[in-house]
């Protein structure tokens, strides 16, 4: 298949704001795509070459791309750079300077999807001394045979700017439309949630249809999207919601890890699908020796403990293990334990459809508990009093609260979904009206007075998975210490944009926009109706969105979360409804 067909599709996607239309453009395109190219086409439409859990990322600096554009188009480096300063987008620069579609000659070759993929892979893998020159050569090779539209998307892809709106949910909708029916959509999504590989799901459905999709199983090495908990404001409400009886576990305050234990090796993934194996080599090794089965996938929370007393330490301590350098020292100085709380696969069996009670028994049976391999403290609870007691013991043991888990037969592991089968309850809920939020930074305002010359406040947004957009909820200016204020440009400026990114919905206009990438933890006094913020606009009241009052940064950068894993607009709406007296729906 020719890359120009893909570029034309990207152009059509970009020029529509309607998700329905995007879905049908993609569905139509997927139907026409050669089966052998479909997997690649899906990755490319998300600006990637692999699923998210691959460690490599395609990232070429703008300056290198400009060199490739200048050498292929014949435009001077000054002219290329001036156009880049004006537009801020190497894709637009390439499109304007590479103005004619080349005639195929003896010296050129057709630009197929396969050729583009192979060259981009070479760019991704270029390392060593002359890696910059190699990258420029590979990109020039492709630009040489591109027309303007293809050049636009090639340059956006290599610089990580490909956002044409083909989010995971839109692609899954399109796959259902192209190869199955609307009713099949949940099964297709499940296949994605247990493989985290949308290209693979596309390939399976195109070649084997729904039978093949329904027989997709959890496998060691492919991370599974994590199951998430809902929240309720009190223990009695949790017990009632659970039907009078549930399990409760300590809620540990560390880093969630999904461990894929193979016969000879172990890989650890974070909840945002990063490979954490090199951060916890000791845990990886111990999991293998303590696991009685040849293969298993478990989840647990890695928590730092005091080297002498063995007491659990707050979250910040375990984050030192995430640093890239000095890992040997960190392994020695910061002892860590894993508190396992779930098992998703064991000895050839996919356990995600097995109820929680049985999964817990398998977890207890299949591991030798001791040393750094621990299992979460758990108890069956049958009354609010028992629940309060368990919560108090969790706090006394330095945990942040409890996780209630349903003991019903329906209590399966719902990969990638948040629901009431698990309900969290934290110490903070007793102290303030609402839980903390994890919000994506989408803009910044220049500071004044003591903060002159720096960013003084940030525009923060929640994520709306239905539309794949970030909707604003507050302007955050409190809780920053001097070190954080000074470090803001380094943290944020990589995602700086001249204009509002397509994925952001905002009415408030900051001085600087950012492509959502950084997530901060924020507490607040309450959620209110807001005329300026766009989260849940028109859901509670016509013409209003939801905003949060008196937001305060807790000091915690959630670098374990992708922006798409920020607090969702639905959660904020739910929390608003739970606030006593604040919802127009409540008497
Ligand atoms: P939150 O990040 O506040 O939404 O809380 C959910 C997180 O609590 C999970 O993603 C886990 O990292 C963590 N957690 C700690 N202990 C447990 C447990 N016993 N069961 C499930 N999750 C737990």
């Amino acid at each position: 298949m020719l890359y120009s067909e893909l570029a034309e599709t990207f152009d059509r996607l970009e020029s529509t704001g309607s998700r329905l239309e995007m879905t049908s453009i993609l569905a139509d395109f997927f139907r026409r795509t050669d089966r052998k190219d479909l997997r690649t086409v899906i990755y490319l439409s998300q600006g990637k070459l692999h699923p998210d859990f691959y460690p490599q990322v395609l990232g070429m600096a703008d300056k290198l791309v400009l060199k490739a554009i200048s050498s292929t188009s014949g435009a001077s480096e000054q002219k290329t750079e001036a156009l880049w300063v004006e537009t801020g987008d190497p894709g637009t620069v390439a499109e304007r300077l590479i103005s004619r579609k080349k005639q195929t000659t003896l010296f050129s070759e057709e630009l197929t999807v396969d050729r583009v993929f192979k060259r981009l892979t070479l760019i991704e893998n270029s390392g060593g001394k002359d890696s910059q020159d190699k990258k420029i050569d590979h990109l020039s090779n492709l630009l040489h045979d591109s027309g303007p539209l293809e050049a636009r998307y090639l340059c956006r892809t290599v610089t990580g700017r490909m956002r044409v709106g083909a989010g995971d949910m839109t692609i899954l909708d399109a796959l259902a439309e192209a190869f199955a029916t609307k009713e099949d959509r949940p099964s297709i999504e499940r296949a994605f949630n247990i493989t985290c590989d949308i290209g693979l799901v596309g390939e399976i459905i195109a070649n084997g249809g729904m039978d093949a999709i329904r027989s997709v199983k959890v496998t060691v090495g492919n991370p599974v999207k994590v199951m998430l908990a809902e929240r309720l404001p009190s223990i009695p409400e949790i017990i009632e919601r659970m039907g009078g009886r549930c399990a409760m576990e300590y809620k540990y305050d560390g880093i969630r890890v999904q461990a894929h234990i193979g016969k000879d090796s172990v890989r650890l993934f974070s909840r945002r699908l990063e490979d954490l194996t090199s951060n916890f080599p000791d845990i990886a090794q111990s999991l293998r020796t303590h696991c009685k089965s040849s293969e298993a996938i478990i989840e647990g929370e890695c928590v730092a403990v005091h080297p002498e007393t063995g007491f659990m330490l707050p979250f910040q301590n375990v984050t030192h293990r995430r640093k890239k350098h000095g890992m040997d020292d960190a392994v020695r100085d910061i002892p860590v334990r894993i508190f396992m709380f779930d098992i998703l696969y064991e000895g050839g069996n996919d356990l995600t459809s097995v109820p929680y009670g049985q999964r817990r028994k398998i977890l207890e049976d299949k591991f030798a508990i001791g040393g750094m391999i621990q299992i979460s403290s758990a108890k069956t609870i049958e009354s609010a009093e028992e629940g309060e007691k368990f919560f108090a013991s969790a706090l006394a043991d330095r945990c942040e609260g409890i996780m209630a888990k349903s003991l019903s037969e329906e209590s399966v592991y719902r990969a990638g979904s948040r629901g009431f089968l698990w309900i969290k309850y934290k110490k903070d809920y007793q102290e303030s009206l609402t839980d903390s939020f994890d919000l994506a930074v989408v803009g910044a305002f220049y500071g004044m007075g003591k903060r002159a010359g720096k960013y003084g406040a940030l525009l923060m947004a929640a994520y709306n998975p239905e539309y794949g957009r970030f909707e604003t909820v507050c302007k955050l200016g409190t809780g920053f210490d001097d070190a954080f204020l000074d470090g803001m440009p380094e943290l944020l400026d990589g995602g700086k944009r001249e204009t509002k990114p397509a994925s952001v919905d905002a009415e408030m206009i900051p001085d600087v926009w950012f492509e959502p990438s950084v997530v901060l933890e924020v507490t607040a006094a309450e959620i209110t109706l807001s005329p300026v913020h766009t989260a849940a606009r028109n859901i509670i009241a016509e013409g209003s969105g939801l905003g949060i009052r008196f937001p305060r940064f807790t000091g915690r950068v959630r670098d374990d979360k992708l922006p798409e894993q920020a607090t969702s607009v639905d959660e904020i709406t739910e929390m608003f409804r739970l606030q006593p007296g604040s919802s127009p729906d409540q008497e």
Side-chain angles (χ1 to χ4, degrees), residues 498-519:
E498 298 284 310
T499 52
K500 185 167 71 60
S503 59
V504 175
D505 251 347
E507 278 190 11
M508 195 178 254
I509 309 291
D511 296 315
V512 178
W513 291 103
F514 300 116
E515 195 68 59
S517 108
V518 175
V519 178

Side-chain angles (χ1 to χ4, degrees), residues 95-302:
E95 182 174 18
R96 292 212 199 145
L97 294 179
I98 295 177
S99 54
R100 276 173 300 108
K101 175 90 187 120
K102 308 281 174 308
Q103 295 296 319
T104 310
T105 66
L106 260 184
F107 304 105
S108 66
E109 219 187 298
E110 281 197 322
L111 203 59
T112 59
V113 166
D114 188 49
R115 177 177 159 204
V116 167
F117 180 77
K118 287 190 176 131
R119 276 286 162 179
L120 293 180
T121 308
L122 290 174
I123 293 179
E124 188 176 72
N125 295 333
S126 298
K129 226 172 30 353
D130 48 359
S131 67
Q132 301 201 340
D133 292 338
K134 284 190 215 150
K135 287 182 182 183
I136 296 173
D137 284 351
H138 292 310
L139 180 60
S140 305
N141 173 288
L142 295 176
L143 291 176
H144 178 263
D145 295 327
S146 303
L149 204 57
E150 292 123 289
R152 184 209 285 175
Y153 291 110
L154 283 171
C155 292
R156 288 196 185 155
T157 303
V158 292
T159 55
R161 282 188 179 78
M162 262 298 286
R163 294 223 171 178
V164 289
D168 293 337
M169 293 305 126
T170 311
I171 294 204
L172 292 176
D173 285 345
L175 289 172
E177 193 173 315
F179 304 110
T181 65
K182 257 205 177 119
E183 288 67 49
D184 294 321
R185 177 66 171 71
S187 307
I188 304 172
E189 187 163 340
R190 179 180 149 79
F192 172 54
N193 286 340
I194 62 174
T195 57
C196 288
D197 187 342
I198 200 148
L200 175 70
V201 172
E203 190 173 79
I204 292 176
I205 194 170
N207 291 319
M210 281 311 294
D211 285 346
I213 284 290
R214 277 188 280 268
S215 52
V216 172
K217 295 254 179 308
V218 165
T219 43
V220 172
N222 266 59
V224 178
K225 282 211 175 179
V226 296
M227 173 163 176
L228 296 165
E230 273 290 354
R231 68 196 100 203
L232 279 177
S234 73
I235 299 258
E237 280 165 90
I238 294 177
I239 308 287
E240 195 190 323
R241 177 92 198 201
M242 289 285 188
R245 184 170 176 272
C246 64
M248 273 191 191
E249 294 183 18
Y250 280 9
K251 184 174 190 305
Y252 299 88
D253 191 13
I255 294 180
R256 184 175 188 160
V257 163
Q258 190 177 88
H260 287 239
I261 307 170
K263 289 190 184 71
D264 321 298
S265 67
V266 177
R267 275 183 84 187
L268 307 180
F269 294 104
S270 74
R271 58 190 276 174
R272 56 184 288 179
L273 310 182
E274 292 158 325
D275 195 319
L276 291 182
T277 321
S278 60
N279 302 76
F280 300 104
D282 44 348
I283 296 280
Q285 203 187 358
S286 286
L287 278 169
R288 186 50 280 168
T289 50
H290 286 239
C291 179
K292 300 176 192 163
S293 191
S294 61
E295 284 192 319
I297 302 176
I298 60 104
E299 278 194 337
E301 192 85 354
C302 283

